Amino acid sequence: MLRHLFIKNYTLIDELDMDFGEGFSVITGETGAGKSIILGAIGLLLGQRADSKIIKTGTSKCVVEAHFDLSRYDMDGFFEQNDIEPDAADTIVRRELTAAGKSRAFINDSPVTLSQMKELGERLVDVHSQHQNLLLNKQNFQLEVVDILANDSKELGDYQEVFSDYQKTAQQLKDLQSEIEEGQKEADFLQFQYDELNSAKLVDGEQQELEAKSDTMTHAEDIKQALYEAETTFNGDEHSILSALKKSSSALHGIEKVLPAATQLAERMDSSYVELKDVADEVSSLLEDIDFDPSELEAVNDRLDKIYDLQKKYHASTVEELITMRDQLQHRLQNIENSDEALAELRKRLDQLTAACKERAEILTAKRTKAAKEIEKQMRERLVPLGMPNVRFEISIAKEQLTRSGQDKVSFLFSANTSTALQPVSQVASGGEIARVMLSLKAMISGAVKLPTIIFDEIDTGVSGKIAEQMAQIMYEMGCQDRQVISITHLPQIAALGITHYKVYKDETEHGTTSHMAKLTAEERVTEIAQMLSGSDVSKAAIENARQLLKIKK
């Protein structure tokens, strides 16, 4: 629970340094004194976004820090998951904002993200302001109330696990149906493209071979002339290279006895002769193979033209890319042909998941229905003492399509008297009646959810007298249930029941308006409540009435 609050340079607050106690506390003060400012500062600690405009004029930095005692609440999991050093007896949450717009958040002096601060804040403090009464307009809120009080988190989790699979399968079915529809529209075109590529009988690497062959055949005459000249040089008349080399080698071999050095030279010439003879044979072989055939060249060029046309048409640069496209087209056509089987399989799977969802949704509905009866009973018991002797409160649970929260549409129906038909509470209840309904719901929820601190911001709007006393009693009892309850109020009946009383006030100085907060002594409480009863001119009767409210004897 909140043990200490420190605020510095936040709008009208220079510095606030305040301790808070257990149980039920109240905060009072004139309209505009700064009660909402304090709530805004606490909101920063709950992860709300802030503007640098909230920084007090003339200062460069705003700081809001709170100390919480969490020793009676099991929150170790949060600190472990977020790698933050825990300190259950003194958990420190701090937010800093600079005039330059830079925001920093800390938990136990560890820097954290705003989302981490918000996650912890939602488990530390519940702030109920007047605008939250509008939640009664929302069916999601009403369903959440029933779920909390039904304690059905396990059943809801089991349902949502199956529902997630149901949603995925439904989307897959929808996507496949769209794909099939689009595929069928273009099936003829896909088939035409596939037939064209398939009939081309494309082969990996053929383009390079054909281009080389075309180049060779195109230059056949030049090639033959070059080869003929080379062959003539090797094997021509008696003056050919090979004949001359053979003759020279024989001459050298003839003088080996008289010139030993001639032997090595002759052997080298023999080796050269063998190499040149091999080259001459290859040249002759190539010359025999070169045979220009115009029809064959035409066929090669026609095949290349076909490949080039396909590459241009299908925006490909190689035969391999065309083959890949052909195979992809074949795969798409096969999918279209086999789509009925895939569609039937997904529909079967979706039917199974739908049945599983409905089965688990029925379990959820049963638990909610049982809880709804108990909520109706407790709400009547709580609302009758709050000035509604003829109140009727019922929870309607109607079936709807499967959603992430189940198949139930929950509506809170309300009537303050016997002559008015039951209708949605947000449509027929007055502001004061809604405030009492919300307080009763919060009291029930607080018993099911262990929130350390609950702050009520003027939940007493539209009520007074005995009803206000009853509302105060409810908040007091909530504060006795191992939690801290703080009520910001304008009603003396509520203020008088607080164990601790704080007052927010403002001063007008030469530097401007400044808001302050003080913890009141017993006598100061008498004066404050007397002023709430009679206004600024405090009468003896008001003092006496205040003492009676506080149960203080003269």
Side-chain angles (χ1 to χ4, degrees), residues 28-41:
T28 61
E30 295 179 358
T31 300
K35 299 186 295 298
S36 61
I37 294 175
I38 294 172
L39 275 183

PDB file of all heavy atoms in Angstrom, residues 28-41:
ATOM      1  N   THR A  28      -9.846  16.129   1.568  1.00  0.00           N
ATOM      2  CA  THR A  28     -10.846  17.172   1.323  1.00  0.00           C
ATOM      3  C   THR A  28     -10.148  18.449   0.890  1.00  0.00           C
ATOM      4  O   THR A  28      -8.925  18.554   0.929  1.00  0.00           O
ATOM      5  CB  THR A  28     -11.689  17.434   2.584  1.00  0.00           C
ATOM      6  OG1 THR A  28     -10.819  17.885   3.638  1.00  0.00           O
ATOM      7  CG2 THR A  28     -12.407  16.179   3.039  1.00  0.00           C
ATOM      8  N   GLY A  29     -10.938  19.421   0.509  1.00  0.00           N
ATOM      9  CA  GLY A  29     -10.408  20.706   0.064  1.00  0.00           C
ATOM     10  C   GLY A  29     -11.378  21.370  -0.871  1.00  0.00           C
ATOM     11  O   GLY A  29     -12.226  20.717  -1.497  1.00  0.00           O
ATOM     12  N   GLU A  30     -11.255  22.667  -0.983  1.00  0.00           N
ATOM     13  CA  GLU A  30     -12.157  23.418  -1.844  1.00  0.00           C
ATOM     14  C   GLU A  30     -11.931  23.053  -3.311  1.00  0.00           C
ATOM     15  O   GLU A  30     -10.845  22.594  -3.690  1.00  0.00           O
ATOM     16  CB  GLU A  30     -11.939  24.920  -1.655  1.00  0.00           C
ATOM     17  CG  GLU A  30     -12.294  25.431  -0.261  1.00  0.00           C
ATOM     18  CD  GLU A  30     -12.043  26.920  -0.129  1.00  0.00           C
ATOM     19  OE1 GLU A  30     -11.568  27.515  -1.119  1.00  0.00           O
ATOM     20  OE2 GLU A  30     -12.305  27.467   0.935  1.00  0.00           O
ATOM     21  N   THR A  31     -12.940  23.284  -4.114  1.00  0.00           N
ATOM     22  CA  THR A  31     -12.804  23.063  -5.548  1.00  0.00           C
ATOM     23  C   THR A  31     -11.698  23.948  -6.100  1.00  0.00           C
ATOM     24  O   THR A  31     -11.653  25.148  -5.821  1.00  0.00           O
ATOM     25  CB  THR A  31     -14.134  23.396  -6.268  1.00  0.00           C
ATOM     26  OG1 THR A  31     -15.162  22.548  -5.749  1.00  0.00           O
ATOM     27  CG2 THR A  31     -14.000  23.176  -7.770  1.00  0.00           C
ATOM     28  N   GLY A  32     -10.792  23.337  -6.852  1.00  0.00           N
ATOM     29  CA  GLY A  32      -9.687  24.085  -7.424  1.00  0.00           C
ATOM     30  C   GLY A  32      -8.465  24.169  -6.547  1.00  0.00           C
ATOM     31  O   GLY A  32      -7.461  24.786  -6.908  1.00  0.00           O
ATOM     32  N   ALA A  33      -8.538  23.549  -5.361  1.00  0.00           N
ATOM     33  CA  ALA A  33      -7.402  23.621  -4.440  1.00  0.00           C
ATOM     34  C   ALA A  33      -6.226  22.783  -4.918  1.00  0.00           C
ATOM     35  O   ALA A  33      -5.079  23.037  -4.545  1.00  0.00           O
ATOM     36  CB  ALA A  33      -7.834  23.180  -3.045  1.00  0.00           C
ATOM     37  N   GLY A  34      -6.499  21.755  -5.716  1.00  0.00           N
ATOM     38  CA  GLY A  34      -5.389  20.950  -6.247  1.00  0.00           C
ATOM     39  C   GLY A  34      -5.528  19.454  -6.026  1.00  0.00           C
ATOM     40  O   GLY A  34      -4.565  18.707  -6.223  1.00  0.00           O
ATOM     41  N   LYS A  35      -6.725  19.003  -5.646  1.00  0.00           N
ATOM     42  CA  LYS A  35      -6.902  17.550  -5.431  1.00  0.00           C
ATOM     43  C   LYS A  35      -6.681  16.779  -6.729  1.00  0.00           C
ATOM     44  O   LYS A  35      -6.038  15.722  -6.745  1.00  0.00           O
ATOM     45  CB  LYS A  35      -8.308  17.275  -4.871  1.00  0.00           C
ATOM     46  CG  LYS A  35      -8.585  17.945  -3.534  1.00  0.00           C
ATOM     47  CD  LYS A  35      -9.921  17.536  -2.962  1.00  0.00           C
ATOM     48  CE  LYS A  35     -11.090  18.011  -3.810  1.00  0.00           C
ATOM     49  NZ  LYS A  35     -11.179  19.499  -3.907  1.00  0.00           N
ATOM     50  N   SER A  36      -7.209  17.310  -7.823  1.00  0.00           N
ATOM     51  CA  SER A  36      -7.034  16.629  -9.108  1.00  0.00           C
ATOM     52  C   SER A  36      -5.581  16.658  -9.557  1.00  0.00           C
ATOM     53  O   SER A  36      -5.116  15.768 -10.284  1.00  0.00           O
ATOM     54  CB  SER A  36      -7.924  17.277 -10.175  1.00  0.00           C
ATOM     55  OG  SER A  36      -7.568  18.638 -10.361  1.00  0.00           O
ATOM     56  N   ILE A  37      -4.845  17.682  -9.126  1.00  0.00           N
ATOM     57  CA  ILE A  37      -3.418  17.769  -9.471  1.00  0.00           C
ATOM     58  C   ILE A  37      -2.655  16.627  -8.828  1.00  0.00           C
ATOM     59  O   ILE A  37      -1.789  15.992  -9.445  1.00  0.00           O
ATOM     60  CB  ILE A  37      -2.845  19.129  -9.018  1.00  0.00           C
ATOM     61  CG1 ILE A  37      -3.493  20.260  -9.822  1.00  0.00           C
ATOM     62  CG2 ILE A  37      -1.323  19.149  -9.185  1.00  0.00           C
ATOM     63  CD1 ILE A  37      -3.086  21.640  -9.372  1.00  0.00           C
ATOM     64  N   ILE A  38      -2.989  16.325  -7.567  1.00  0.00           N
ATOM     65  CA  ILE A  38      -2.324  15.217  -6.867  1.00  0.00           C
ATOM     66  C   ILE A  38      -2.636  13.896  -7.562  1.00  0.00           C
ATOM     67  O   ILE A  38      -1.758  13.049  -7.749  1.00  0.00           O
ATOM     68  CB  ILE A  38      -2.754  15.187  -5.386  1.00  0.00           C
ATOM     69  CG1 ILE A  38      -2.230  16.437  -4.682  1.00  0.00           C
ATOM     70  CG2 ILE A  38      -2.248  13.924  -4.692  1.00  0.00           C
ATOM     71  CD1 ILE A  38      -2.749  16.621  -3.280  1.00  0.00           C
ATOM     72  N   LEU A  39      -3.881  13.733  -7.978  1.00  0.00           N
ATOM     73  CA  LEU A  39      -4.245  12.518  -8.718  1.00  0.00           C
ATOM     74  C   LEU A  39      -3.485  12.433 -10.036  1.00  0.00           C
ATOM     75  O   LEU A  39      -3.070  11.354 -10.461  1.00  0.00           O
ATOM     76  CB  LEU A  39      -5.754  12.496  -8.995  1.00  0.00           C
ATOM     77  CG  LEU A  39      -6.651  11.936  -7.899  1.00  0.00           C
ATOM     78  CD1 LEU A  39      -8.096  11.916  -8.376  1.00  0.00           C
ATOM     79  CD2 LEU A  39      -6.213  10.549  -7.492  1.00  0.00           C
ATOM     80  N   GLY A  40      -3.307  13.578 -10.698  1.00  0.00           N
ATOM     81  CA  GLY A  40      -2.548  13.588 -11.946  1.00  0.00           C
ATOM     82  C   GLY A  40      -1.107  13.161 -11.733  1.00  0.00           C
ATOM     83  O   GLY A  40      -0.532  12.426 -12.540  1.00  0.00           O
ATOM     84  N   ALA A  41      -0.525  13.601 -10.619  1.00  0.00           N
ATOM     85  CA  ALA A  41       0.848  13.201 -10.299  1.00  0.00           C
ATOM     86  C   ALA A  41       0.929  11.706 -10.047  1.00  0.00           C
ATOM     87  O   ALA A  41       1.858  11.033 -10.501  1.00  0.00           O
ATOM     88  CB  ALA A  41       1.333  13.978  -9.077  1.00  0.00           C
TER      89      ALA A  41
END
